[in-house]
Amino acid sequence: MNDLPIGVFDSGVGGITVLRALTEKWPGEKFLYLADTARLPYGAKSSDTIEQYFIQNLKFLLKEGVKAVVVACNSASSVLMKKKIPSPVPIFNVIHPGARLAAAATRTGHIGVVGTRATMLSEAYVQAIKELSPEANVYQQACPLLVPLVEENWVDDPLTNMVIYRYMQTLLKHPIDTLVLGCTHYPVLKKAFKNVVGASVELVDSPMGIIAELDGAFDLATEGDGQIDVACTDLTPHLENLFASMLLPRKANSIRLVDLGR
Ligand code: DGL
C-alpha cells in the first residue's frame, strides 16, 4: 500500500500548483495526476455535473491503484463537502485546509474568498470558515475569467493584472485582512493578487492548505526519487508545454491520454 501513488486530480493545469507543492515536500512519493482537460472548466458547471465528473475521476484513480486521493480542485472539493462520496482510500479536499489557514491567519475576522462560480455558489468556504470562527465575516467574489487566462499561460500579463484588479474592487470595499485564493489555478497569480490587495492582506492558497493537512497525517517519503505520472482526458502540444513549465523543476516521468469510459 505504501508503495502506491497518491492520486491528485483537477480539471486542468491548476492542480499542478498542488502537485508541485506535494512533490517538493515529499519528493520520494509517487504521484498520479489526472487532468480532466477535455471537460475543463469545472467552475462553470452545475454541482450535479461536477459530481458526475468527480465520481468518474475517482473511479479512474482507484482502478489505477492509489493510496489516497487529493482533490486539487476547489470546484470539485465543494461538491465533496456537500455529499459523502464513498471511497476505500482517504480523500482530501482543499477547502477545509484552506479555511483552517484563513481562520488562523485573520486578525480582524474579515476574510475574502475568490474562486470559480461553482465554488462561490456552493458557499463551501463560507460554511467551513464559519464552522471554525462563527463570528467571521466572509466575502466572496467569483473570478471566472482567471482560469482561461492561466490555461493560456498569461501569467504576469497586464491584461490578467487588470482583470484581477477589476474583480477585487468589490471585495476591497470590505476591510479584509485575509484573502483565500480558492481555486488551484490562482497560486500562479499570487504576485498579481498581492499587488492589488497590498502587503497587509495575508494570502492563503490550496497548496499551503493541503501541505498543512497531510503533514503528520501520513507517513510520506521525504527522500528518494519518487515518480510523477500524468494522465489527461485531452492533450495538445500547448497543454504539454504548460504542464512541463508549471511542474518545473520536476519533470513528469510519463504523460498519457486516457478515456474515463464515458
Ligand atoms: N482549478 C479548479 C478549481 O480549483 C477550477 C478550474 C475550472 O474551473 O475547471 O476550482
Side-chain angles (χ1 to χ4, degrees):
M1 183 77 171
N2 237 3
D3 246 18
L4 292 177
I6 298 172
V8 180
F9 81 79
D10 181 36
S11 55
V13 298
I16 300 267
T17 61
V18 172
L19 176 69
R20 232 186 73 174
L22 289 167
T23 59
E24 266 165 25
K25 177 86 181 161
W26 295 290
E29 286 293 325
K30 291 181 188 150
F31 295 92
L32 172 58
Y33 183 80
L34 171 64
D36 192 7
T37 37
R39 301 189 288 195
L40 175 119
Y42 280 13
K45 311 268 186 333
S46 70
S47 63
D48 284 350
T49 298
I50 298 172
E51 186 183 334
Q52 279 175 33
Y53 295 173
F54 187 119
I55 292 168
Q56 283 175 336
N57 295 347
L58 179 63
K59 271 194 189 146
F60 168 79
L61 291 172
L62 291 174
K63 216 161 77 192
E64 290 286 311
V66 292
K67 62 181 172 190
V69 172
V70 172
V71 184
C73 173
N74 285 266
S75 312
S77 291
S78 67
V79 169
L80 176 69
M81 282 187 49
K82 297 257 150 78
K83 293 229 165 120
K84 181 106 191 78
I85 296 182
S87 161
V89 302
I91 305 182
F92 296 92
N93 74 65
V94 283
I95 289 178
H96 281 121
R100 269 195 282 280
L101 290 183
T106 187
R107 299 167 307 276
T108 62
H110 293 281
I111 300 170
V113 184
V114 285
T116 65
R117 281 216 172 95
T119 305
M120 299 298 97
L121 195 67
S122 74
E123 302 216 319
Y125 274 106
V126 181
Q127 219 176 300
I129 292 170
K130 283 189 170 277
E131 267 166 29
L132 298 163
S133 305
E135 312 286 283
N137 294 291
V138 187
Y139 314 97
Q140 303 193 103
Q141 177 64 49
C143 308
L145 291 176
L146 294 184
V147 167
L149 287 168
V150 171
E151 294 278 334
E152 196 53 38
N153 206 10
W154 284 19
V155 172
D156 226 342
D157 182 280
L159 183 74
T160 309
N161 296 346
M162 228 151 82
V163 172
I164 293 176
Y165 177 82
R166 171 117 187 237
Y167 279 136
M168 288 309 296
Q169 291 319 295
T170 337
L171 267 195
L172 289 176
K173 291 205 172 93
H174 306 288
I176 60 165
D177 72 349
T178 305
L179 177 68
V180 182
L181 303 183
C183 172
T184 54
H185 279 72
Y186 301 175
V188 296
L189 305 173
K190 219 167 183 172
K191 211 170 87 195
F193 270 104
K194 196 76 190 169
N195 285 341
V196 175
V197 297
S200 62
V201 176
E202 187 97 19
L203 298 189
V204 163
D205 66 22
S206 303
M208 289 159 69
I210 208 72
I211 295 297
E213 173 92 351
L214 293 189
D215 201 9
F218 258 129
D219 185 17
L220 298 174
T222 47
E223 314 230 317
D225 283 338
Q227 188 160 325
I228 305 171
D229 293 299
V230 177
C232 334
T233 53
D234 190 30
L235 191 55
T236 60
H238 170 76
L239 265 176
E240 213 161 335
N241 288 336
L242 197 54
F243 276 129
S245 70
M246 285 181 72
L247 246 189
L248 283 172
R250 289 289 299 262
K251 248 180 106 166
N253 295 76
S254 73
I255 179 156
R256 70 193 148 119
L257 190 62
V258 294
D259 183 345
L260 299 182
R262 299 187 285 283

